[in-house]
Amino acid sequence: MGLITSSDVPSPVCIVGQYKCGTSWLLAALSAHPEVVGAREVDLVRAFIDVETGADLPPSERVERLFGSSAWSPQPVAEALAATTAEGSADHGVPLRFTEYPTDAASQLAARVSEGDAHSAAASFVDALAGSDSTLRPVLKAADQIAVFEHLPRLYPDASAVVITRDGRDAALAAVAYRSLMADQSAPWYKGPTEFDKQLSAWRSRARMVIAAARNGEIHLIRYEDLTHEFSATFGRLLEHLDLDHDDELVARIEALVAFENVTGRSRGTEAAAVVRRGLAQGWVDDLDSGTAEAAWGLAGEELAALGYTADGGCEALAADVAGR
């Protein structure tokens, strides 16, 4: 896989949120598409731009932020380069890590991250992600990028932004479990323990951003519950929106590849200490006692209702202005 720097590389698809709402599942599904190449979790906005001031970050800080603190490259750049091989091990059917690129391409990519302004560095990243095939549509994923969404057009003016959301009560429970898992694994991006109500508050603030962006036509919004129960229809509509092949047979093949059972080796609903925990929609109904559930609705009921979720665990159709119809 050689590095290219072609302006003909299609504009990227950016999965910008929401945290613990199925962004990894959606990335895996898109990466399984033959017209797509995806990257593991990597937030280029926060890596290349000071989101407080809007200024480009200096090259050394870009490298430091991009290497050693994400699933795309959990190692510092020198260690990551040492872990590459001449042939690479990239499989375009799954989201890629930095170390899966051939050493030559990875070296050039690492160098280009520190060259030029933020826009040109981000463009170099997309070029490298596509490898030697400039027809592939790059997909980037950063689960909480909706919080800095205003800066994304500076890096990728023509990007297609996608959000997958989820009942905030499930998302908050998943976030608590995930942080506990990351603590056990001493992950470099672990930021300390948290509580259910704090995670629900965080979901609420991001949900407000998502709803506003959807109503403005800035994002394509799907729900975890719809992808769970109606994968073919939900994913097919997304592919059509992205102008990618959405043939029924292809969608069915992708659904099988990324099915919970195939990915985890467990039946859906089976608990495990893993990043992919149990794959349930509306699991909070059994997990929360009545008092906590009532408090959760009091905290985030307005945002939950705007996204079609009910106090008792129902999931109604998205409003037309939010769904983009």
Side-chain angles (χ1 to χ4, degrees):
M1 180 194 300
L3 185 70
I4 61 170
T5 55
S6 170
S7 59
D8 294 330
V9 173
S11 59
V13 177
C14 296
I15 302 172
V16 300
Q18 281 183 265
Y19 177 64
K20 303 316 294 179
C21 289
T23 56
S24 295
W25 184 22
L26 183 58
L27 174 65
L30 285 171
S31 298
H33 194 286
E35 298 171 12
V36 164
V37 58
R40 291 270 181 172
E41 179 85 22
V42 55
D43 190 341
L44 296 187
V45 170
R46 291 183 176 91
F48 292 161
I49 296 173
D50 183 331
V51 297
E52 297 297 325
T53 67
D56 284 11
L57 289 170
S60 59
E61 191 164 351
R62 291 182 216 160
V63 173
E64 184 177 342
R65 291 193 180 199
L66 196 58
F67 295 90
S69 60
S70 74
W72 182 68
S73 180
Q75 302 164 295
V77 62
E79 294 177 27
L81 283 169
T84 63
T85 63
E87 300 79 16
S89 58
D91 175 2
H92 280 183
V94 297
L96 301 177
R97 294 183 175 90
F98 175 78
T99 52
E100 292 172 315
Y101 286 90
T103 300
D104 287 348
S107 297
Q108 292 181 60
L109 171 57
R112 288 169 188 264
V113 167
S114 62
E115 294 176 357
D117 59 14
H119 172 74
S120 61
S124 293
F125 181 92
V126 167
D127 290 343
L129 183 62
S132 58
D133 187 349
S134 63
T135 67
L136 292 173
R137 186 88 179 268
V139 177
L140 309 175
K141 190 268 272 195
D144 191 39
Q145 205 169 71
I146 189 67
V148 293
F149 183 63
E150 64 187 283
H151 298 287
L152 183 63
R154 178 137 141 244
L155 299 183
Y156 302 114
D158 300 320
S160 297
V162 178
V163 168
I164 180 169
T165 193
R166 183 185 191 182
D167 189 309
R169 293 157 289 193
D170 279 324
L173 287 168
V176 172
Y178 178 75
R179 283 174 174 260
S180 176
L181 178 65
M182 292 300 100
D184 292 342
Q185 296 181 357
S186 300
W189 51 86
Y190 173 63
K191 297 180 180 179
T194 191
E195 299 171 354
F196 172 79
D197 58 342
K198 292 182 179 179
Q199 282 302 319
L200 184 59
S201 293
W203 177 90
R204 178 187 62 180
S205 71
R206 302 307 192 248
R208 290 174 177 171
M209 300 172 188
V210 166
I211 292 164
R215 286 174 174 162
N216 290 336
E218 297 172 317
I219 62 168
H220 182 88
L221 176 64
I222 66 175
R223 293 184 301 193
Y224 178 90
E225 294 79 9
D226 297 328
L227 200 62
T228 298
H229 299 304
E230 300 177 347
F231 184 96
S232 294
T234 304
F235 191 61
R237 284 193 296 269
L238 173 61
L239 294 179
E240 183 177 15
H241 171 74
L242 297 175
D243 198 27
L244 294 168
D245 181 11
H246 52 282
D247 175 80
D248 289 346
E249 184 178 343
L250 172 61
V251 172
R253 189 161 66 248
I254 292 173
E255 179 178 12
L257 285 171
V258 300
F260 182 89
E261 294 79 4
N262 285 347
V263 171
T264 66
R266 294 180 268 122
S267 299
R268 186 179 289 275
T270 304
E271 185 80 38
V275 173
V276 183
R277 192 165 61 108
R278 58 181 184 176
L280 284 182
Q282 308 303 98
W284 70 267
V285 174
D286 294 324
D287 292 342
L288 299 182
D289 61 60
S290 59
T292 304
E294 183 177 353
W297 185 259
L299 177 62
E302 181 179 348
E303 293 74 24
L304 288 163
L307 293 168
Y309 303 113
T310 67
D312 62 359
C315 189
E316 301 173 345
L318 277 171
D321 64 331
V322 176
R325 296 190 295 270

